[in-house]
Amino acid sequence: MATIAAELSDVPPERQRAGLPLGTKVAHGTGAMANGSLIYLRSLLLLFYSQVVGLEAWMVSLALAIVIACDAVWDPAIGHFSDNLRSRWGRRHTLMFAAPVPVAILCAMLWNPPVGLSPGATFAWLLGSALVLNFTFSLYEVPANALTPELAPGYHVRTNLLAWRWVLGTGGAMITAFLGLGWFLSPEQGAVGQLVREGYGRLGIAAALLMLAAMLINAFGTRRYRGALYEPPESTGGIGKSLKEAVETLRNRNMAVAVIAGALAGIGFGIRTVLEAYIATFIWGLPASALLLTTVAGFVATPIGAIVGAMLSRRHGKKRACMGLFFVGTILTNMPLLLRLSGVFFVNGDPLLLPTLVGFAFVSAVFYYGGFVLVSSMIADIVEDAQARTGRRSEGLITSADQFIQKIITAMGTVLGGALLTLIAFPRKALPGQVPAETLAALGWTFLVLVTTLSFLSIAIWKFYRIDRQGHEARLTALDVPEVRGAA
């Protein structure tokens, strides 16, 4: 297969590839709503288990870090298993049909811990239910992600399909936010809505049902393609050969770039995930209804970001476009907190504070989500780059291996977030307005410096990515990768 890689420059640079039917885009994109819902729920876990249930923040962060680290290990294993699975249901759909019901049950359990447990028992409930939930969800999400480059091999067609997944995935997060902040976590008898325990239990059950429906729509809506997709050859040689092939696939320059950039971004993401709810609640003093507005503003920006990303990609290429989008997005998303800490922003209670925060959330999300769509497409393009060198299609391994280091590092970021709260002595079960100003300043400056620095470093690493449109289309021609327009 080295011959294919060596002769790419002699292959005609492009062949036109048709788009997928709208129904396929919607079905496959709807599946991402489950991931969007789960990601939003995870952003509330530290606040719920520490400020509402009463577990020490460092214990919650430790549990979440263990879960993320384990998730990072089994994702590539599931991806490699899916790549080589031979079944009449197809190598992706066999797992996609097996996971939804267990995922829904475990999601409801995670958000409904029994009342009156000791701290040790509460920690065990959080760790156990989150571990098994993440494992069963990976059985669905890894094959679903791997299905994307199979359904859409073309350079821009792939970006379009991923845009649908990002938009609808964000829709899943938005629905969950509406259910939580707009309904289940609404204030009760003067209490701060996001600090009421019963609301989280109801939110967990509602999100579980949403995730179940989204996963099944994806599985049923794309199952007709299973006979038209790549089928791996009979595997021989046992686990030793399988591991050797996996290592050979991942020894790829562009894969290394994606992993390093993702690792840097992952630390910042872990810190941001566990602390954003604290910043919104205690620094900005936002009630659940106001927090919902800023959250929805970011979600509404997703389709615009997807369009902007696709347009810039066609004009400047995926790499340059995504780097520019992330650079501007990073500046905009952190600007309000920087101005507040510098003493030149609206104070809490000012009628202009919330509209300004909503505006920044919307505009920064346009840039960020445009970048996210392009990065997902760039990682998917590594599939054919690796195939040209190894002769094997390994969508599951590549799309999940990129998450391996990211999740390990995100676990570190999660621990850092919880450790930071302990280090600055952030009080447990505190209410807005009761936390000392110096504690809030320490929280804000540390958060701002860490996440901004890590974001800029991650952006710089993408400079070394080398796949462009001409090389990708030539590679598809050399490998004779088929189009997938429909199936019987």
Side-chain angles (χ1 to χ4, degrees):
M1 301 306 297
T3 303
I4 293 179
E7 295 179 353
L8 284 177
S9 60
D10 298 327
V11 180
E14 182 174 359
R15 57 179 177 177
Q16 295 297 320
R17 288 178 172 268
L20 289 166
L22 178 61
T24 300
K25 295 177 183 179
V26 172
H28 190 49
T30 298
M33 294 179 71
N35 190 43
S37 179
L38 187 57
I39 288 175
Y40 181 78
L41 288 178
R42 287 171 180 157
S43 72
L44 299 176
L45 272 173
L46 179 60
L47 182 68
F48 171 59
Y49 270 91
S50 63
Q51 293 295 325
V52 180
V53 177
L55 203 59
E56 291 280 357
W58 70 265
M59 295 180 70
V60 181
S61 289
L62 177 61
L64 297 180
I66 293 172
V67 171
I68 295 170
C70 291
D71 206 27
V73 173
W74 61 53
D75 273 7
I78 292 171
H80 190 57
F81 174 76
S82 176
D83 287 336
N84 294 280
L85 180 62
R86 294 174 61 88
S87 167
R88 67 185 184 89
W89 285 96
R91 59 179 185 156
R92 311 300 182 197
H93 289 83
T94 299
L95 300 178
M96 289 170 64
F97 277 111
V101 172
V103 165
I105 294 172
L106 289 159
C107 179
M109 290 177 58
L110 176 63
W111 291 95
N112 287 274
V115 178
L117 292 179
S118 67
T122 302
F123 177 83
W125 180 277
L126 167 61
L127 178 61
S129 56
L131 267 176
V132 185
L133 169 61
N134 274 28
F135 176 75
T136 53
F137 187 72
S138 290
L139 291 176
Y140 160 80
E141 183 67 6
V142 171
N145 282 335
L147 193 60
T148 303
E150 288 193 271
L151 291 173
Y155 188 76
H156 291 305
V157 176
R158 179 169 289 172
T159 300
N160 181 264
L161 181 58
L162 281 162
W164 276 92
R165 283 184 61 78
W166 270 102
V167 170
L168 291 172
T170 305
M174 183 168 65
I175 292 172
T176 308
F178 267 116
L179 291 172
L181 299 174
W183 191 358
F184 296 122
L185 302 181
S186 58
E188 295 182 4
Q189 298 179 350
V192 178
Q194 58 264 44
L195 300 179
V196 176
R197 178 169 182 152
E198 291 75 15
Y200 285 96
R202 296 192 290 268
L203 174 61
I205 294 173
L209 295 175
L210 171 64
M211 293 167 63
L212 175 65
M215 289 185 284
L216 290 177
I217 288 173
N218 189 3
F220 279 105
T222 59
R223 75 188 188 283
R224 68 182 184 274
Y225 292 98
R226 64 184 186 271
L229 299 175
Y230 174 81
E231 183 176 357
E234 290 281 359
S235 179
T236 58
I239 190 170
K241 180 182 179 184
S242 181
L243 290 174
K244 181 179 179 181
E245 291 178 348
V247 171
E248 183 182 14
T249 297
L250 296 177
R251 291 177 60 184
N252 182 291
R253 171 199 173 96
N254 295 299
M255 191 74 212
V257 170
V259 167
I260 295 171
L264 292 168
I267 301 176
F269 180 77
I271 296 171
R272 184 178 293 277
T273 297
V274 299
L275 294 183
E276 272 193 327
Y278 275 78
I279 290 171
T281 301
F282 296 102
I283 291 183
W284 298 122
L286 299 180
S289 57
L291 184 57
L292 176 62
L293 290 177
T294 62
T295 303
V296 171
F299 295 156
V300 171
T302 306
I304 301 174
I307 294 171
V308 170
M311 291 174 59
L312 291 176
S313 171
R314 289 181 178 273
R315 183 177 180 85
H316 301 290
K318 295 178 186 178
K319 182 177 77 171
R320 291 181 62 192
C322 91
M323 291 177 67
L325 287 165
F326 279 140
F327 182 82
V328 177
T330 298
I331 293 174
L332 290 174
T333 196
N334 293 309
M335 186 60 68
L337 183 56
L338 175 62
L339 295 176
R340 163 59 67 85
L341 295 173
S342 301
V344 292
F345 201 65
F346 305 111
V347 298
N348 292 359
D350 191 302
L352 293 177
L353 174 64
L354 182 57
T356 303
L357 290 176
V358 170
F360 270 100
F362 175 81
V363 178
S364 62
V366 169
F367 287 91
Y368 260 132
Y369 280 113
F372 288 145
V373 169
L374 295 183
V375 163
S376 298
S377 186
M378 289 161 65
I379 293 170
D381 290 343
I382 298 173
V383 169
E384 288 79 19
D385 186 45
Q387 184 185 4
R389 290 165 170 77
T390 67
R392 294 182 299 275
R393 289 192 66 84
S394 303
E395 294 93 342
L397 177 62
I398 288 173
T399 56
S400 60
D402 171 63
Q403 302 295 317
F404 175 80
I405 297 297
Q406 287 192 47
K407 288 184 176 181
I408 292 290
I409 300 299
T410 299
M412 293 173 54
T414 303
V415 171
L416 286 173
L420 173 62
L421 293 174
T422 302
L423 181 65
I424 65 177
F426 200 98
R428 286 190 298 133
K429 295 196 172 183
L431 293 174
Q434 297 181 353
V435 181
E438 57 271 19
T439 301
L440 295 179
L443 171 64
W445 279 116
T446 306
F447 171 87
L448 194 61
V449 171
L450 286 175
V451 299
T452 304
T453 301
L454 291 165
S455 294
F456 285 149
L457 287 174
S458 176
I459 293 167
I461 293 298
W462 281 110
K463 179 69 175 177
F464 301 98
Y465 181 85
R466 290 291 182 266
I467 300 175
D468 58 16
R469 178 183 180 183
Q470 181 178 359
H472 178 76
E473 295 291 349
R475 200 169 285 112
L476 293 180
T477 301
L479 294 170
D480 195 26
V481 176
E483 294 185 52
V484 180
R485 299 189 185 186

